[in-house]
Structures are given as C-alpha cells and as structure tokens.
Amino acid sequence: QVQLVESGGGLVQAGGSLRLSCVAPGRAPSARAFSTYIITWFRQAPGREREFVAGISWGGGETEYADSVKGRFTISRDNAKNTVYQQMNSLKPEDTANYYCAADPRYTISIQRDDYAYWGQGTQVTVSS
C-alpha cells in the first residue's frame, strides 16, 4: 500500500504556471518501493468525470499526456525523494479542476481511472481568465 499527498495547487491567472507535487511519505520495510509504481495525474472539474492528464513509468523514461495538455504540462519523478511532479505552463481556465495523484504497481501507463489502486486527496487548481 502507498499513501499519496498532493500539493502545489492554487489560484493563477490564465497564461500562468504552477507545479504540483505528489509525495509518498515513508513506507514499511516490506512495502514495495515507490519506484515500482506507475504514477499518474487525473483531474476532475465540477460536474465532470475524472479524466487522465499525465502518467509516468517506473524509471521516468516513458510519459503519456492527454491531448488537451500536450506541450503545456510536463510530468517527472524523483524516486530518491518518492516524489512525482507536474509542471503546468500556459494554464487556461479550462484547466480548473481538482488534481489527483494516482499510483498502481502495474507495468504500463493506463489512462483508465479504474486501473489505479491508490489515490491522494487532491489539490485544487483554479485558473482565472
């Protein structure tokens, strides 16, 4: 089992930037290492389904993005710090949502919400026009 804690959300004007962090604070000695989890970011706006935003492989060598954020968002990870980041540039009002970090000990990135066993509580991002 892995606990996930997101941070970095806030209020920003359109065109601005934010960096989200997802930390897995500590683990039991018998637990899987953070580096053996696929980590993804999903987001959910009011009245809408939770949607895939970005995902990163175990070692960080593979990434995947939703079409709506390609070229603007960058996902990265630092396994030594048990942390995944999402740099969000050129933010738009339609990026406004609660952003969730999700993890699963799978081998490949999935864009399906149901494929992830562990979730954080989310961090709110609000982009004003």
Side-chain angles (χ1 to χ4, degrees):
Q1 188 170 356
V2 62
Q3 181 186 5
L4 302 171
V5 180
E6 304 98 331
S7 63
L11 173 63
V12 64
Q13 289 188 328
S17 299
L18 285 173
R19 188 176 81 156
L20 306 183
S21 297
C22 171
V23 179
R27 68 180 178 94
S30 60
R32 292 178 65 102
F34 179 78
S35 60
T36 64
Y37 287 85
I38 293 288
I39 307 293
T40 56
W41 287 96
F42 283 74
R43 67 186 180 186
Q44 188 167 18
R48 300 191 65 176
E49 294 289 319
R50 192 170 298 189
E51 63 177 3
F52 172 82
V53 176
I56 191 164
S57 61
W58 288 16
E62 295 183 16
T63 57
E64 188 168 343
Y65 297 92
D67 288 342
S68 59
V69 306
K70 280 181 182 176
R72 300 189 298 121
F73 290 13
T74 302
I75 188 171
S76 61
R77 70 190 296 164
D78 184 342
N79 287 332
K81 296 181 178 179
N82 287 1
T83 303
V84 168
Y85 304 98
Q86 179 162 275
Q87 178 67 41
M88 306 187 298
N89 299 328
S90 302
L91 283 162
K92 305 175 181 180
E94 51 263 45
D95 294 318
T96 295
N98 204 2
Y99 283 71
Y100 297 90
C101 178
D104 196 87
R106 51 186 297 106
Y107 294 108
T108 58
I109 298 168
S110 169
I111 66 171
Q112 302 299 322
R113 177 183 61 186
D114 291 345
D115 286 340
Y116 292 88
Y118 306 106
W119 292 83
Q121 293 300 306
T123 185
Q124 178 67 35
V125 171
T126 303
V127 184
S128 63
S129 58

